[in-house]
């Protein structure tokens, strides 16, 4: 069984660290990006099994990131979990329309995030 790699995209260092520790503890490999623009630079053909992205970030927000990565044939089918403090349906509907597969609300408990990850990262 090969290790699954997850890209975490969030402008908060402490949040990236929290997510990274939870994922690494569950056996995943982790790459980090500080915003959507940084994430696009890391999407250079390497295999990512999942992307976890914040919604509100400087330079390129989460929905814009998803719109751009879904244009790339390497990442068109890569599942995305959106992390957000936003609870409005407007963002959820927009995200669902462009391919966001799950929403996790901040603050979150690591087991809740890991459960969502496990549903989207196939063995």
């Amino acid at each position: 069984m090969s290790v699954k790699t997850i890209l975490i995209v969030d402008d908060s260092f402490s949040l990236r660290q929290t997510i990274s520790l939870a994922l690494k503890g569950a056996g995943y490999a982790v790459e980090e990006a500080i915003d959507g623009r940084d994430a696009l630079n890391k999407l250079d053909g390497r295999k990512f099994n999942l992307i976890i992205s914040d919604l509100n970030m400087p330079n390129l927000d989460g929905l814009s990131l998803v719109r751009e990565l879904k244009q790339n044939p390497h990442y068109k089918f890569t599942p995305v979990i959106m992390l957000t403090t936003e609870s409005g349906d407007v963002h959820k509907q927009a995200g669902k329309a462009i391919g966001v597969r799950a929403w996790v609300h901040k603050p979150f408990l690591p087991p809740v995030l890991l459960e969502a990850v496990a549903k989207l990262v196939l063995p």
Side-chain angles (χ1 to χ4, degrees):
M1 186 170 93
S2 66
V3 174
K4 305 298 182 185
T5 303
I6 299 173
L7 177 62
I8 302 168
V9 188
D10 201 301
D11 55 320
S12 164
F13 171 77
S14 60
L15 200 61
R16 285 195 318 271
Q17 196 170 42
T18 299
I19 297 166
S20 181
L21 285 170
L23 292 172
K24 287 177 180 174
Y28 297 102
V30 174
E31 180 79 31
E32 296 181 20
I34 59 170
D35 59 35
R37 183 68 47 216
D38 186 33
L40 287 176
N41 290 334
K42 293 180 187 304
L43 295 173
D44 56 8
R46 287 180 282 172
K47 173 74 173 156
F48 288 102
N49 300 94
L50 177 72
I51 297 169
I52 299 174
S53 178
D54 186 14
L55 178 62
N56 298 309
M57 298 178 287
N59 301 318
L60 191 68
D61 66 77
L63 292 178
S64 298
L65 167 62
V66 173
R67 279 188 205 97
E68 289 202 34
L69 76 88
K70 293 297 181 181
Q71 301 301 314
N72 183 326
H74 283 100
Y75 303 106
K76 184 175 182 155
F77 300 108
T78 303
V80 177
I81 294 176
M82 196 64 65
L83 280 178
T84 183
T85 56
E86 305 277 343
S87 58
D89 280 344
V90 173
H91 291 298
K92 281 187 181 176
Q93 294 304 325
K96 190 174 183 180
I98 60 172
V100 174
R101 298 282 302 278
W103 291 79
V104 174
H105 292 278
K106 297 178 192 174
F108 63 90
L109 297 172
V112 172
L113 179 65
L114 290 173
E115 184 179 326
V117 167
K119 288 178 182 173
L120 293 173
V121 177
L122 303 175

